[in-house]
Amino acid sequence: MRAMQISSDHPLLLRIVDDLAERGWSQQNIFLPLDLTRALAAECRKRAAEGELAPAAVGRGPFSEIREGIRGDHIQWLEPGQVEACDSYLGLMNSLREAMNRGLFLGLEDFESHFALYPPGAFYLKHVDRFRDDDRRMVSAVIYLNDGWLPEHGGQLRMYLDEGFEHDVVPTGGCLVVFLSAEVPHEVLPATRDRLSLTGWFRRRGNEPF
């Protein structure tokens, strides 16, 4: 499979930028092509079968701890240069980073991402993605890798929006959800089957002193 490239002025990326400017979030039901979605899903399952995915913690640094009553996913962070499919995904996210910087002047410097596998019944309680002591995460991005997902399988991403409005995203393969990390509380509802995704954050330079 060829590594994918997309121009930062692609209409799909500009639509995401416009959505973020207008309402703080964007949902693109068809973002990844099917072959890349399936390759990423296969890589996630391979890593899980080999024991490379670990229970995710809550908190940061010395204050992080595994609390399955809050979140129950298993994760592994991506590193560039390991797998072609992952590099294609990271390349697409870099194009989106460039588009957001040009259109929204966010000063995004990098992107971090991990595979996330929620086994049946696992969930993640309502939260926001920015740490209290670290303001670098600006924009969250979740790409779903689930083939043949139906609404009755559960596992929706529930976003809590302005004026008490809730929006549920069914985690169908190839769907991308992007939202402002500090401004959109959200949760992951339990599912009846394994739920696969790539979750990541576009980050700016932090305010820590040199």
Side-chain angles (χ1 to χ4, degrees):
M1 182 180 61
R2 287 185 187 172
M4 292 190 59
Q5 294 187 358
I6 183 172
S7 170
S8 60
D9 62 359
H10 190 284
L12 181 57
L13 302 185
L14 298 182
R15 189 182 315 146
I16 294 170
V17 171
D18 288 343
D19 285 346
L20 287 172
E22 179 181 346
R23 63 186 183 183
W25 64 278
S26 181
Q27 177 180 341
Q28 304 301 323
N29 290 327
I30 303 175
F31 184 80
L32 286 188
L34 183 60
D35 60 343
L36 180 55
T37 303
R38 287 179 170 171
L40 290 167
E43 179 65 19
C44 182
R45 292 191 181 281
K46 172 179 175 290
R47 297 185 185 201
E50 293 174 353
E52 296 181 11
L53 273 61
V58 297
R60 191 172 82 98
F63 303 104
S64 66
E65 58 180 327
I66 296 170
R67 299 180 62 183
E68 293 185 358
I70 295 178
R71 66 181 295 186
D73 54 326
H74 292 68
I75 69 170
Q76 187 185 48
W77 293 92
L78 296 191
E79 297 292 343
Q82 294 180 326
V83 179
E84 185 176 315
C86 295
D87 285 348
S88 292
Y89 156 71
L90 292 174
L92 289 172
M93 292 297 99
N94 189 59
S95 296
L96 178 55
R97 182 186 65 84
E98 293 175 350
M100 290 188 293
N101 276 344
R102 187 168 61 246
L104 301 173
F105 307 103
L106 293 178
L108 303 172
E109 292 200 334
D110 62 16
F111 178 71
E112 60 178 3
S113 183
H114 62 63
F115 281 114
L117 188 156
Y118 287 79
F123 55 86
Y124 195 160
L125 296 182
K126 184 178 177 181
H127 64 284
V128 293
D129 279 351
R130 183 182 287 180
F131 297 112
R132 293 179 181 177
D133 61 345
D134 187 340
D135 64 354
R136 288 177 295 177
R137 287 181 176 178
M138 292 292 291
V139 180
S140 303
V142 185
I143 287 182
Y144 296 106
L145 308 175
N146 306 296
D147 192 26
W149 196 277
L150 300 174
E152 53 264 35
H153 293 145
Q156 291 87 350
L157 174 72
R158 175 165 293 169
M159 297 190 292
Y160 295 87
L161 306 173
D162 293 338
E163 300 178 356
F165 182 65
E166 298 176 4
H167 177 72
D168 284 358
V169 180
V170 177
T172 53
C175 175
L176 169 69
V177 182
V178 179
F179 54 89
L180 298 178
S181 300
E183 299 181 17
V184 181
H186 55 283
E187 67 175 314
V188 176
L189 304 181
T192 60
R193 51 178 279 199
D194 284 348
R195 177 190 188 275
L196 311 180
S197 66
L198 278 160
T199 301
W201 297 272
F202 296 93
R203 303 190 304 177
R204 66 180 180 183
R205 183 186 297 274
N207 289 331
E208 300 93 340
F210 291 103

